[in-house]
Amino acid sequence: MVNPGYRHFKGEDWIDPTPPPKDLPPVDEVGCTGAPLKSASFFIGSQCKEYNEDFMLCKNESRDPKHCLKEGRKVTRCAVDALQKIQSQCLGEFRAHWQCLDDKNQEYGRCRDQETPLNACLFKAFGWKKDIPDAPTNKPQIHERIPLTR
């Protein structure tokens, strides 16, 4: 089967056969789809901020993709660790939120009812608070506002 508009692909997944450099420590892939990643994204972002910043600074140093592989691996390990922590303490709330995102076209606003218990669980379990970067400081965060209609 040929993918429409992509005649040069054979309709199967392409996997890069080039092995990574031997001096890189192995790291597992995150291994989840977009909805769980989106559900956990703000928490991953806050927990992995230092690793993300190091990675971005490294990317600014060189355009060579090999230059920042070690920093990228640290980011991946941190994200996997954050997801494992979320699943260990708040699996039901996490699953309800990401399934809602999956069902509702990845729109946060349509899943606030599922997001609130997840945020509360993560705050109770780890002290993690969801803060949206660059949000106005004189107003409540959008996920903390009381909706006008339900």
Side-chain angles (χ1 to χ4, degrees):
M1 176 179 136
V2 175
N3 295 328
Y6 297 96
R7 288 184 217 111
H8 54 283
F9 288 126
K10 296 178 182 175
E12 59 209 33
D13 291 336
W14 183 82
I15 298 172
D16 187 355
T18 311
K22 299 225 184 287
D23 62 332
L24 275 181
V27 66
D28 291 332
E29 296 294 324
V30 174
C32 64
T33 60
L37 283 174
K38 187 166 183 170
S39 175
S41 64
F42 289 99
F43 300 106
I44 292 171
S46 65
Q47 295 306 300
C48 304
K49 184 176 182 178
E50 291 179 26
Y51 297 115
N52 287 328
E53 289 175 351
D54 286 346
F55 178 73
M56 295 310 295
L57 288 171
C58 181
K59 295 291 284 181
N60 285 336
E61 291 173 6
S62 173
R63 295 183 56 83
D64 180 11
K66 293 178 190 169
H67 181 68
C68 301
L69 287 175
K70 288 182 182 177
E71 289 80 1
R73 299 254 171 166
K74 290 177 184 176
V75 171
T76 302
R77 271 195 214 100
C78 183
V80 168
D81 183 56
L83 284 166
Q84 288 173 344
K85 286 180 179 178
I86 290 169
Q87 291 178 27
S88 72
Q89 297 295 315
C90 304
L91 180 60
E93 295 88 344
F94 179 53
R95 183 174 286 141
H97 186 239
W98 74 254
Q99 285 177 340
C100 178
L101 288 171
D102 208 24
D103 293 342
K104 306 282 173 110
N105 202 30
Q106 307 284 332
E107 293 180 30
Y108 283 117
R110 298 175 68 192
C111 296
R112 297 286 183 220
D113 290 340
Q114 292 79 10
E115 181 182 2
T116 302
L118 174 61
N119 292 346
C121 181
L122 292 173
F123 182 76
K124 182 179 177 186
F126 305 110
W128 294 356
K129 186 174 186 313
K130 179 178 176 179
D131 286 318
I132 300 173
D134 300 323
T137 55
N138 60 342
K139 295 180 180 178
Q141 295 269 321
I142 192 165
H143 58 279
E144 295 172 341
R145 295 181 192 161
I146 299 170
L148 297 175
T149 60
R150 288 226 176 213

